[in-house]
Amino acid sequence: MSLVLTPYAIIFFVTALFAAIVTGMLWRHRSTPGSAPLAWMMVFVCWWNLTAGLEAATVEQPYKILWAQIEYIGSNVSLAFLAFFALEYTRPEKRLSGVQRALLLVLPAVNVLLAATNGWHHLVWQGFEAGPAGSNLLIYQHGPG
């Protein structure tokens, strides 16, 4: 796997670093309503940006697609934790049950599963094109998934 440090990759890596710093700051205050789910959201935002940076830096198309599939974990789960944060912060007296949290994670899990198995059904990405010359980008042709 060949890597080329592109401006896009640098931006993603810097963003991942900031997300990691924010995670550490939030974790110290995790007893404050909303801060624990927000910290977990930032963990997944860090994951998302780190893998997006690796995708942007990777040269070979199969590895770019692999990083994009791994990236889906961070991008989808972070949205569920955003919902957990919003609900806990606005209603600190009424916490979500484990079943309610699991239900909010169903759609992200399905989306991650669709991305991971895209080679079989092409519901997430129907095809791929090389980006502009010299950009090391891959253009994803999105499907209905």
Side-chain angles (χ1 to χ4, degrees):
M1 177 173 65
S2 303
L3 297 175
V4 175
L5 200 57
T6 65
Y8 294 113
I10 293 169
I11 290 168
F12 285 126
F13 291 142
V14 169
T15 304
L17 177 63
F18 281 129
I21 292 168
V22 169
T23 300
M25 293 167 57
L26 285 165
W27 197 250
R28 280 186 249 136
H29 301 285
R30 63 186 173 273
S31 61
T32 304
S35 65
L38 187 59
W40 279 108
M41 182 191 84
M42 293 307 294
V43 166
F44 287 102
V45 167
C46 181
W47 174 299
W48 180 3
N49 280 281
L50 182 62
T51 54
L54 289 167
E55 177 195 353
T58 300
V59 176
E60 297 91 354
Q61 180 176 327
Y63 291 114
K64 282 183 156 320
I65 295 167
L66 176 65
W67 284 119
Q69 290 170 323
I70 296 169
E71 186 181 329
Y72 259 59
I73 297 168
S75 64
N76 283 268
V77 176
S78 65
L79 294 175
F81 276 97
L82 177 61
F84 298 162
F85 160 71
L87 292 169
E88 185 175 313
Y89 186 76
T90 58
R91 309 177 320 158
E93 71 286 345
K94 188 173 180 185
R95 298 223 177 218
L96 291 174
S97 70
V99 171
Q100 290 170 320
R101 287 181 185 269
L103 287 173
L104 283 171
L105 285 166
V106 167
L107 188 57
V110 168
N111 208 17
V112 169
L113 186 63
L114 282 174
T117 59
N118 187 70
W120 297 331
H121 50 70
H122 304 289
L123 290 172
V124 178
W125 305 299
Q126 293 181 333
F128 309 94
E129 296 176 24
S135 70
N136 192 33
L137 294 177
L138 185 63
I139 298 171
Y140 295 81
Q141 298 165 348
H142 292 279

